[in-house]
Each structure stands twice: as C-alpha cells, then as structure tokens.
Amino acid sequence: MKDILSKIIANKRFEVDLQKQAISIEQLQEGISEALAIRSMKQALASSMSGVIAEFKRRSPSKGWIRQGALPEEVVPSYVKAGASALSILTDEKFFGGSLKDIRTARPLTEIPILRKDFIIDEYQLYQAKIVGADAVLLIAAALEPEKCNELTEKAHSLGLEVLLEIHSADELDYINKETDMIGINNRHLGTFFTDVENSFLLAGQLPQDAVFVAESGICWPETVKLLGSAGFRGFLIGETFMKTEQPGETLQYFLQAIQ
C-alpha cells in the first residue's frame, strides 16, 4: 500500500508555505498576546477517572467521510456534558475535513483542554494553535527527525503549549525525553493505516513509568479502556467510535458509564 503519511506530509508542507504567504509568522507572533490561557491536558488526564479524549473528526484517509456535516458547536458541548476529560480536534482539511476554525469555534464552549491534532512540521503551526486557543499539540515521531521534534517541543513549551508525542514502534522510543509531556501510542500505522490495539500493550512496558501514557486509535469498547488502564494508560483518544453515531455525545456518555 502506498505510504499515506508521506503523501500527507508533502501536502502539509505545501499548505504551510501558502499560509505563510497569506499571513506572515511575524503577524502571528503579534497575535499571541491576545491568545487565551492554557489548560493542562497532562494534568487533566492524570487526575481524571476515565481519561477519555473525545475527538471531533469528520473523515479519515482510510475510511472516507465519517460525519461530513458535523459541527463543533453541536458535538463539543455534547462531549463536555457527557464527561470527556479533554478534546482532540482535527485541523487538517484535505485528508480529515477539519480546520483551525473548528478549534476557534470550540474554545469558548468549554474549559477542558483542547489538543490540536494535525501533522505539525513547522513552528508556524504552533503559533496558529496558540492563537485559536489550543492547549496542546500533537507531534508525530514518524513525521519528524528527532532534532526537529525536540525543536518543536521546545518552541511549543515557550508558547505555553503542551506536547503529546506520538510513537508507533519501539524504534521511536528514543524520541522520548524529560521534556515530553505525554506519550501517545498510535495503534494505527500511519503508512498503511493498519490498526491493532495490541500495539499499546506491547509498548507500555517500555515507556517511562512516571509518564502520562495515551492510547490512540482503534479503541471501540469500554472493556479495552479498562485493560489499557490496567497497563498504565491514563488517556484514551477516541474519535470514530463516537463520531460515526447519530449522537456522539450520548454515545460517549454510555461509553463512560460502561467504564465505571
């Protein structure tokens, strides 16, 4: 299968270059002083009983449209009411049907942390995340060289943003260091989109035991969350399981009740 991640990253570089031409990084820097205060996603997960990060996601490269007409002003309040510990909002447009506007719309509607989930390759995107009200950003090891990942982590922290570092295999464990806020284990291979939750269990024992672990992708059942919790995970990023239903918030509510 064609490496989907390479295709996404190539498009992301093109997008960011266009965005820089429209709004300079200097203009973004000027808007930082007006940005909202940051809420700690790491602390929210560490202190949460469920740890569910409910995701707002319209489509994916592998599944196509999941919920094309979904609106953050409808879904986000329902997630919050149901008891989500944090939110993940996809901002990639071409492959996931999202935009920065989705975070800007969601931010005034809740006080829980918001993760900008995208393919971050440039500090320009960190300034964007800060301005629209995100509290954390996703950095994907498979999309970045270690040095670049460290640079972006440092820049994110200087802006008051936390980082969820996503790895998929033991080969990427070297990306983890003392600056890492949260460690995400993606159960979906970003090259092939093959998904196996067993990946989280396989890697859990190799992670720093004082870190906040987040399991990502392929989590469909409350029983899986319970097992992952026993393996040391404090966060569970779940999107499609909720978004494919008519009432994502209600689905989350029943899911959380089943965990308890």
Side-chain angles (χ1 to χ4, degrees), residues 1 14 68 102 124 156 163 185:
M1 183 180 289
F14 176 73
Q68 187 170 0
D102 292 330
Y124 186 89
V163 169
I185 305 299

Side-chain angles (χ1 to χ4, degrees), residues 195-249:
T195 304
D196 184 1
V197 176
E198 189 63 27
N199 195 48
S200 284
F201 294 103
L202 291 173
L203 289 175
Q206 302 178 62
L207 302 178
Q209 294 306 297
D210 59 345
V212 172
F213 311 165
V214 177
E216 309 171 28
S217 303
I219 303 172
C220 305
W221 308 105
E223 291 77 10
T224 305
V225 170
K226 292 179 182 179
L227 290 172
L228 286 166
S230 298
F233 286 85
R234 301 303 301 271
F236 313 93
L237 199 155
I238 308 172
E240 185 180 333
T241 296
F242 307 139
M243 291 298 296
K244 69 183 181 182
T245 65
E246 286 297 318
Q247 300 294 333

Side-chain angles (χ1 to χ4, degrees), residues 16-147:
V16 172
D17 285 343
L18 285 181
Q19 291 167 352
K20 286 180 178 179
Q21 293 174 31
I23 302 175
S24 70
I25 193 167
E26 289 77 17
Q27 288 174 294
L28 288 184
Q29 290 169 339
E30 290 173 1
I32 290 298
S33 61
E34 301 174 6
L36 299 174
I38 298 297
R39 301 147 187 83
S40 174
M41 182 173 164
K42 178 180 180 179
Q43 184 177 348
L45 296 179
S47 61
S48 170
M49 293 296 292
S50 72
V52 170
I53 306 165
E55 186 162 84
F56 180 81
K57 175 181 181 180
R58 295 188 181 93
R59 74 184 303 270
S60 79
S62 59
K63 300 291 181 65
W65 288 106
I66 298 167
R67 195 170 187 80
Q68 187 170 0
L71 298 172
E73 56 265 40
E74 295 178 355
V75 176
V76 166
S78 71
Y79 275 162
V80 175
K81 182 179 180 181
S85 300
L87 299 169
S88 169
I89 298 182
L90 266 298
T91 58
D92 176 84
E93 182 175 358
K94 182 172 182 178
F95 297 94
F96 292 87
S99 74
L100 285 165
K101 183 181 177 182
D102 292 330
I103 294 182
R104 193 183 291 276
T105 299
R107 179 72 282 168
L109 305 178
T110 179
E111 290 298 315
I112 67 175
I114 295 178
L115 170 75
R116 179 188 183 183
K117 192 177 182 190
D118 208 319
F119 298 83
I120 305 291
I121 56 171
D122 193 293
E123 68 173 38
Y124 186 89
Q125 296 164 284
L126 302 178
Y127 284 103
Q128 290 176 322
K130 173 75 173 181
I131 287 173
V132 297
D135 304 295
V137 293
L138 181 74
L139 294 183
I140 303 171
L144 299 164
E145 294 296 327
E147 184 177 352

